[in-house]
C-alpha cells in the first residue's frame, strides 16, 4: 500500500476536502469496530492525503459517541503516520475570537465516560505514554511553518479544554475553564489526542474558532448558523495549508 503523506480529521462544518483529486473511498473495519464513516484518499499537490469526517459526513454522531479508537486505527491501517485534527471550538480568551485559526500546544480533559485508551480490553497491554506535550512538538512546528509559507494567519499555542457535550457549556463552566488556563473549548479534543499518542501517530490540532464561548464576547446566544458561517470563513485557507503540509 502506498504511504499516506497526511491524514486529516474534519470536525463540525468540515465534512470533506474538496481539493482532493482522484479520490478513492475506503470502508475500513478495525479491531475497535467501524470508524465514523468512509476514509477518502486522494491527491493534493501530488501527495496522497486521507480525510475522515469525525462526526460522519452527515454530522450524525455526537461527540461522546464517536469511536475515536476506530477512527485513528483506520487511518493508521491505511498507512497514515501523521494526523492533522480539525476541531471546531469556542474562544475563551482575547486572542481566540471567532474566525481565528489556532494551533494549541496544551489541553485539559474535562470529558467523562469515553473509552480513552487502547488498554480498555482485558489482556491488552497497559500503556503509560508520556503526554506532557499532548500535541507532537515537531509536527506542530511543521503546521506553523506551512501556515507561514502560505500566508495563512494562525495563532501559535493556547490551551484546549475538552468538554463532554453535546450541549454547550454554562457561563460558570467557561469561567472555571478560564481560571484553569483554557483559551479554547471543544468537545472532541479528547480522547483523540491521547489515543493518537498510544498508537504512535504524530498528531496536531488545528482549532477553528466558530464563536465566543458562553459569557465571552457580546453575543447572548450561540446559533448553528453563526457557527457554520464562521467555520466556512476561517477554513478558506485550509486546502492550501494542507497541501503545503503534505509535502513533508
Amino acid at each position: 500500500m502506498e504511504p499516506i503523506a497526511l491524514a486529516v480529521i474534519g470536525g463540525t462544518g468540515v465534512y470533506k476536502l474538496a481539493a482532493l483529486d482522484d479520490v478513492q473511498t475506503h470502508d475500513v473495519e478495525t479491531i475497535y469496530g467501524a470508524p465514523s464513516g468512509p476514509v477518502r484518499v486522494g491527491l493534493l499537490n501530488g501527495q496522497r492525503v486521507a480525510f475522515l469526517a469525525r462526526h460522519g459526513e452527515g454530522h450524525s454522531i455526537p461527540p461522546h459517541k464517536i469511536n475515536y479508537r476506530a477512527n485513528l486505527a483506520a487511518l493508521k491501517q491505511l498507512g497514515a503516520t501523521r494526523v492533522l485534527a480539525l476541531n471546531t471550538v469556542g474562544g475563551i480568551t482575547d486572542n481566540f475570537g471567532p474566525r481565528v485559526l489556532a494551533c494549541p500546544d496544551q489541553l485539559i480533559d474535562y470529558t467523562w465516560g469515553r473509552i480513552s485508551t487502547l488498554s480498555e480490553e482485558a489482556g491488552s497491554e497497559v500503556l503509560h505514554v508520556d503526554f506532557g506535550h499532548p500535541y507532537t512538538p515537531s509536527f506542530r512546528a511543521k503546521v506553523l511553518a506551512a501556515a507561514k509559507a502560505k500566508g495563512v494567519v494562525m495563532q501559535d499555542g493556547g490551551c484546549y479544554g475538552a468538554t463532554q457535550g453535546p450541549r454547550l457549556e454554562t457561563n460558570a463552566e467557561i469561567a472555571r475553564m478560564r481560571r484553569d488556563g483554557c483559551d479554547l473549548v471543544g468537545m472532541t479534543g479528547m480522547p483523540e489526542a491521547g489515543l493518537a499518542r498510544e498508537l504512535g501517530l504524530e498528531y496536531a490540532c488545528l482549532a477553528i474558532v466558530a464563536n465566543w464561548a458562553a459569557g465571552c464576547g457580546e453575543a447572548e446566544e450561540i446559533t448553528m448558523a453563526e457557527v457554520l458561517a464562521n467555520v466556512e470563513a476561517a477554513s478558506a485557507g485550509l486546502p492550501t495549508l494542507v497541501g503545503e503540509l503534505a509535502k513533508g
Side-chain angles (χ1 to χ4, degrees):
M1 182 178 295
E2 293 182 61
I4 289 174
L6 179 68
V8 179
I9 300 178
T12 298
V14 185
Y15 306 115
K16 63 181 180 179
L17 275 181
L20 290 182
D21 295 322
D22 300 323
V23 176
Q24 295 182 332
T25 298
H26 297 266
D27 293 308
V28 185
E29 189 69 27
T30 78
I31 61 172
Y32 306 109
S36 296
V39 181
R40 313 289 186 182
V41 180
L43 294 176
L44 185 57
N45 290 349
Q47 303 295 320
R48 293 183 80 234
V49 173
F51 180 83
L52 173 64
R54 186 186 287 111
H55 294 277
E57 293 180 347
H59 198 92
S60 58
I61 310 171
H64 66 296
K65 290 291 188 179
I66 293 168
N67 191 338
Y68 295 93
R69 298 196 299 177
N71 284 353
L72 291 165
L75 295 174
K76 185 171 182 177
Q77 282 178 212
L78 290 173
T81 59
R82 302 188 301 163
V83 177
L84 179 66
L86 307 182
N87 295 86
T88 301
V89 301
I92 297 176
T93 54
D94 291 346
N95 291 333
F96 297 88
R99 304 195 177 192
V100 165
L101 287 178
C103 191
D105 58 355
Q106 276 299 327
L107 66 79
I108 299 176
D109 187 7
Y110 300 94
T111 65
W112 49 269
R114 305 181 182 189
I115 297 178
S116 59
T117 177
L118 306 181
S119 305
E120 181 75 11
E121 287 75 21
S124 58
E125 181 184 0
V126 178
L127 300 169
H128 297 290
V129 294
D130 187 330
F131 203 53
H133 298 284
Y135 306 108
T136 309
S138 59
F139 188 36
R140 274 194 74 252
K142 290 178 180 178
V143 174
L144 293 165
K148 184 177 181 179
K150 291 301 179 180
V152 177
V153 178
M154 186 176 296
Q155 186 72 30
D156 178 4
C159 182
Y160 178 122
T163 59
Q164 182 68 2
R167 69 165 176 82
L168 298 176
E169 300 75 30
T170 68
N171 287 20
E173 287 169 333
I174 294 298
R176 178 189 67 164
M177 294 177 72
R178 183 191 292 269
R179 292 193 297 271
D180 286 349
C182 295
D183 300 290
L184 304 160
V185 56
M187 302 174 188
T188 55
M190 285 293 284
E192 193 173 274
L195 291 166
R197 183 63 51 86
E198 290 187 351
L199 282 164
L201 295 167
E202 293 185 50
Y203 182 90
C205 168
L206 184 54
I208 304 167
V209 184
N211 53 270
W212 285 113
C216 304
E218 297 180 358
E220 298 200 1
E221 183 178 353
I222 300 167
T223 67
M224 279 308 296
E226 172 196 9
V227 165
L228 295 176
N230 287 338
V231 169
E232 183 178 1
S235 302
L238 280 181
T240 302
L241 172 62
V242 171
E244 179 71 14
L245 189 58
K247 292 179 183 179

